[in-house]
Amino acid sequence: MRVLVAEDEEILAELVATGLRRAGFAVDTVYSGDAALAYLGLHDYDVVVLDRDLPRVHGDDVARGLVASGSRTRILMLTAAGSIEDRVAGLDLGADDYLGKPFEFPELVSRVRALRRRSARPVPPQLERHGIRLDTVRRTASRDGRELDLSPKEFSVLQLLLEADGGTVSAEELLERAWDANADPFTGAVRVCMSKLRGKLGEPALIRTVQGVGYAL
């Protein structure tokens, strides 16, 4: 759901981030190891796409620090060092997966999704409630058999509501899980997205606003 891309080649980092956003992820980008550690300490990421040769703090040290902290964030090492020895060394550091450059982008997306499913908060392939069916693998949604044309952000918000299984999800949690670090908490982005999502879900209304608490499905 939320991914950190740590890559010192800024053009490549932004290309990877753009592609992952189109695949439905909330993505932040950093270009050095110390920035990666700072972001990982501030936000709860599902996956970090980690270049091994980062400046200031080496990617290996970022991986070691993440593992030592007991974080549930999964590590996908993305690096030009693609020999068997390099892969073994990276996995021994605590990486969950290893992808050499150059790579095919669909494979990167598939590997990130696979790591998300292996996280401490596993997501079933399909989520269902009140006639809504969400396929988290194919990224499709329907209500009572009617296909829903959702944006990636709307899909992510609906998924979080379904995962809550009737519980209330705060606007702050939605911002944390479905938006990136650049989201302004005072813009009303969650309220606007929720209004559009309600319109696409149709009647009768399914999403309740719990005053002062958040939203529930």
Side-chain angles (χ1 to χ4, degrees), residues 120-135:
R121 289 196 296 258
V123 178
Q126 290 198 350
L127 295 165
E128 293 186 51
R129 187 176 179 84
H130 297 315
I132 294 177
R133 175 176 292 181
L134 213 67
D135 188 318

Side-chain angles (χ1 to χ4, degrees), residues 82-196:
S83 70
I84 293 296
E85 292 79 8
D86 290 318
R87 291 193 188 99
V88 170
L91 294 170
D92 284 345
L93 285 168
D96 298 281
D97 201 356
Y98 198 104
L99 186 60
K101 302 175 187 175
F103 57 89
E104 296 294 330
F105 198 79
E107 181 180 5
L108 173 65
V109 172
S110 179
R111 287 176 182 244
V112 170
R113 283 182 175 153
L115 290 177
R116 167 68 171 91
R117 290 194 294 271
R118 288 166 51 191
S119 71
R121 289 196 296 258
V123 178
Q126 290 198 350
L127 295 165
E128 293 186 51
R129 187 176 179 84
H130 297 315
I132 294 177
R133 175 176 292 181
L134 213 67
D135 188 318
T136 62
V137 177
R138 295 182 178 85
R139 304 285 296 178
T140 59
S142 64
R143 179 178 183 183
D144 297 327
R146 174 177 59 90
E147 294 298 316
L148 300 172
D149 182 19
L150 304 181
S151 71
K153 196 71 66 186
E154 291 159 357
F155 188 97
S156 295
V157 168
L158 183 57
Q159 180 174 330
L160 288 166
L161 291 172
L162 284 166
E163 287 179 15
D165 197 27
T168 303
V169 184
S170 69
E172 291 78 13
E173 184 177 353
L174 290 171
L175 271 175
E176 172 68 22
R177 305 300 307 158
W179 275 261
D180 60 32
N182 295 318
D184 184 344
F186 302 106
T187 60
V190 172
R191 186 176 65 254
V192 171
C193 181
M194 199 65 69
S195 175
K196 292 180 179 178

Side-chain angles (χ1 to χ4, degrees), residues 5-10 13 29-38 49-63 78-79 101:
V5 175
E7 165 63 60
D8 66 329
E9 296 180 38
E10 295 189 20
T29 54
V30 293
Y31 314 114
S32 64
D34 55 344
L37 288 172
V49 178
L50 181 65
D51 180 35
R52 199 164 180 186
D53 295 315
L54 290 173
R56 294 201 284 274
V57 176
H58 198 274
D60 289 359
D61 293 322
V62 174
L78 184 65
T79 174
K101 302 175 187 175

